[in-house]
Amino acid sequence: MLSAAVGLEGKRRAPATEESIMVSWPTRAALGGAAILATAALASAGTSSHSGMHHQMQAGQSHGQGQAMSSHMSHDGAAKDAREMVQFPPDMQTHFLGNMRDHLQTLNEIVDALARDDYAAASKVATERLSLDSPSAAGCKPQSMHQASRPPENRSQKPMTMEDMMETYMPEAMRGIGLSMHTAASEFAKVAMTQDRAGAMTALSHVTQNCVSCHSSYRLR
């Protein structure tokens, strides 16, 4: 219909008369209206088609994203946790996890003390609760150190102490990381007393590096 309208407009026009004007004007108007309607119909169809394609693309993208996410979750599920599983007796596991939470609380208190430039408090907290001489370090010390500090009659005493359990059930490499962490905490306590902020922060990072290494290598659950 558009081509017909264009063809009519392109023809040589005869001299206009009153009759021809009366006849041609409605005809042109009709043809022009038809052309407009046809153009509108095509535009509407194109818009509808484009809208439909847009919705399909959106749906496809959502579906693709869903599949990608599902695949990612499936992959993560397959390789969920590559850390070594450490099996502890229930009582030991409860004690051990509580010990880890106390380590975290201790580190938080140290950071808070350093933020206030209270180096003495930071050193004191590290010495009492995280250093090699603190109670929490007992299970990480070599067996020879436990035997030397324990009376002979108590070495085979039952039930097992927590130190005995850690010697029995904790992987040697895991205990080595723990020993290194407590040793680093002792060193931090000394450096903190110098009131050297940069030195203290560096020493503290040596403590937390061991925490990260242990948690990245082992798990209990």
Side-chain angles (χ1 to χ4, degrees), residues 64-78:
Q65 290 173 351
Q67 283 187 329
M69 184 176 293
S70 176
S71 175
H72 179 69
M73 291 176 66
S74 176
H75 176 73
D76 286 350

Side-chain angles (χ1 to χ4, degrees), residues 14 23 40-41 82 84 106 109 112 131 134 147 164-165 167 171 175-176 184 199-200 215-216 218:
V23 173
E84 179 181 342
T106 300
E109 292 179 17
D112 178 70
S131 73
S134 68
Q147 290 176 343
D164 291 332
M165 288 185 181
E167 289 175 4
R175 291 179 61 208
H215 285 274
S216 297
Y218 302 98

Side-chain angles (χ1 to χ4, degrees), residues 4-219:
V6 172
L8 287 172
E9 289 292 324
K11 288 183 179 180
R12 181 179 299 173
R13 299 176 180 174
T17 64
E18 183 177 355
E19 181 178 358
S20 66
I21 292 174
M22 293 179 63
V23 173
S24 61
W25 184 85
T27 303
R28 291 176 184 175
L31 289 172
I36 293 172
L37 290 174
T39 302
L42 288 173
S44 176
T47 302
S48 177
S49 175
H50 176 75
S51 177
M53 291 176 65
H54 180 68
H55 287 305
Q56 289 178 359
M57 289 175 65
Q58 284 187 326
Q61 288 175 351
S62 298
H63 181 66
Q65 290 173 351
Q67 283 187 329
M69 184 176 293
S70 176
S71 175
H72 179 69
M73 291 176 66
S74 176
H75 176 73
D76 286 350
K80 186 176 180 181
D81 199 334
R83 295 178 298 170
E84 179 181 342
M85 171 70 81
V86 180
Q87 299 287 352
F88 287 164
D91 289 348
M92 180 182 176
Q93 178 165 301
T94 299
H95 172 84
F96 190 83
L97 291 175
N99 212 20
M100 294 302 99
R101 289 191 293 272
D102 186 70
H103 289 352
L104 182 61
Q105 177 64 32
T106 300
L107 288 170
N108 185 67
E109 292 179 17
I110 289 173
V111 170
D112 178 70
L114 290 176
R116 294 181 284 103
D117 291 331
D118 192 345
Y119 296 97
S123 178
K124 183 174 185 294
V125 171
T127 299
E128 294 179 352
R129 293 168 53 187
L130 210 59
S131 73
L132 195 56
D133 295 327
S134 68
S136 65
C140 295
K141 293 178 180 179
Q143 189 172 2
S144 59
M145 295 179 67
H146 291 308
Q147 290 176 343
S149 61
R150 208 181 307 160
E153 62 272 14
N154 290 336
R155 292 177 187 171
S156 59
Q157 183 179 355
K158 300 296 180 181
M160 295 175 69
T161 64
M162 196 57 59
E163 288 78 12
D164 291 332
M165 288 185 181
M166 294 181 78
E167 289 175 4
T168 302
Y169 297 104
M170 185 182 291
E172 193 62 31
M174 186 179 185
R175 291 179 61 208
I177 295 174
L179 183 64
S180 179
M181 186 274 290
H182 290 296
T183 302
S186 295
E187 181 62 24
F188 164 79
K190 296 176 183 177
V191 174
M193 291 304 296
T194 67
Q195 299 189 10
D196 175 9
R197 175 179 287 276
M201 294 304 297
T202 298
L204 184 60
S205 74
H206 295 161
V207 177
T208 57
Q209 282 171 6
N210 283 285
C211 297
V212 171
S213 178
C214 190
H215 285 274
S216 297
S217 303
Y218 302 98
R219 63 190 177 99

